[in-house]
């Protein structure tokens, strides 16, 4: 069973609504989708563009599914870890999210979650407390990544809250 809908609701809780913060390198954003990503999606799918302020759940859900969830193989990831990797993919890119887990579990770090990564995660899943430990370490490394960014002073409180809340929810999902 896919956790996509549940995970997307949690991601959107953190992404919030419309923002156009001058210090945000993503620029104009609504429900976590940047204007550039939304415009590209509309062009590729022959959709009429809405004003960024008018986006709704149904406008962004297919973008999240294709560009983030499917790219990190969310349906194939262990419960809880799917949320962490998906949320980080949304926030920092699918390649970075995949590379972080790959480096952690000692598989080839290529930025694409595939059979070898999934097989290695399956071994953790079989251990008692294994996925919980992976989630905690993944989130710890994710927090360290945010703290290394020059924009941490501006956005760090929100990122830290996001990591903390995602960690709690992810461990409950196991």
């Amino acid at each position: 069973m896919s956790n996509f809908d549940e995970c997307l609701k949690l991601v959107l809780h953190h992404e919030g609504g419309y923002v156009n913060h001058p210090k945000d390198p993503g620029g104009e954003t609504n429900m976590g989708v940047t204007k550039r990503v939304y415009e590209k999606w509309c062009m590729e799918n022959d959709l009429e563009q809405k004003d960024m302020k008018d986006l709704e759940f149904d406008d962004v859900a297919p973008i999240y599914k294709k560009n983030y969830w499917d790219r990190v193989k969310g349906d194939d990831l262990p419960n809880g870890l799917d949320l962490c990797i998906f949320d980080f993919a949304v926030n920092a890119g699918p390649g970075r999210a995949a590379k972080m887990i790959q480096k952690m579990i000692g598989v080839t770090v290529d930025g694409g979650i595939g059979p070898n990564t999934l097989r290695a995660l399956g071994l953790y899943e079989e251990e008692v407390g294994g996925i919980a430990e992976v989630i905690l370490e993944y989130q710890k490394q994710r927090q360290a990544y945010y703290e290394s960014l020059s924009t941490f002073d501006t956005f760090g409180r929100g990122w830290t809250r996001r990591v903390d809340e995602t960690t709690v929810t992810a461990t409950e999902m196991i």
Side-chain angles (χ1 to χ4, degrees):
M1 185 178 110
S2 176
N3 286 333
F4 173 72
D5 289 339
E6 182 181 354
C7 291
L8 181 57
K9 288 174 189 169
L10 295 164
V11 166
L12 292 178
H13 163 75
H14 292 288
E15 288 295 330
Y18 177 81
V19 290
N20 193 9
H21 195 289
K23 290 188 179 179
D24 186 344
E28 192 175 13
T29 304
N30 193 357
M31 300 178 82
V33 176
T34 64
K35 184 174 184 172
R36 182 183 58 79
V37 168
Y38 176 64
E39 288 174 344
K40 182 179 178 196
W41 178 261
C42 289
M43 284 180 24
E44 290 173 351
N45 293 281
D46 199 28
L47 300 171
E48 186 175 330
Q49 277 184 248
K50 293 181 174 181
D51 186 279
M52 286 298 292
K53 293 178 182 174
D54 297 331
L55 295 185
E56 298 173 4
F57 180 88
D58 289 341
D59 298 314
V60 301
I63 297 171
Y64 280 104
K65 179 85 166 72
K66 182 176 183 215
N67 292 356
Y68 303 100
W69 183 262
D70 290 347
R71 294 251 328 260
V72 298
K73 304 287 190 279
D75 286 339
D76 300 322
L77 293 170
N79 288 345
L81 188 59
D82 54 357
L83 171 61
C84 298
I85 294 175
F86 173 55
D87 190 52
F88 192 44
V90 166
N91 202 236
R96 181 173 283 116
K99 286 177 182 177
M100 184 176 289
I101 191 66
Q102 290 171 329
K103 185 176 181 183
M104 272 181 52
I105 63 174
V107 297
T108 302
V109 179
D110 60 9
I113 294 176
N116 291 334
T117 303
L118 294 171
R119 193 169 21 262
L121 286 171
L123 298 175
Y124 284 94
E125 207 169 11
E126 293 170 10
E127 297 176 21
V128 175
I131 289 300
E133 291 174 17
V134 173
I135 288 170
L136 295 175
E137 182 60 27
Y138 189 83
Q139 295 294 84
K140 179 180 167 186
Q141 290 188 27
R142 180 179 172 188
Q143 180 65 32
Y145 165 77
Y146 290 136
E147 290 176 13
S148 75
L149 298 176
S150 62
T151 51
F152 187 77
D153 286 345
T154 304
F155 300 108
R157 187 185 324 224
W159 289 333
T160 299
R161 184 180 67 249
R162 184 175 184 149
V163 169
D164 292 345
E165 290 177 7
T166 301
T167 303
V168 169
T169 303
T171 55
E172 291 171 352
M173 290 173 71
I174 298 173

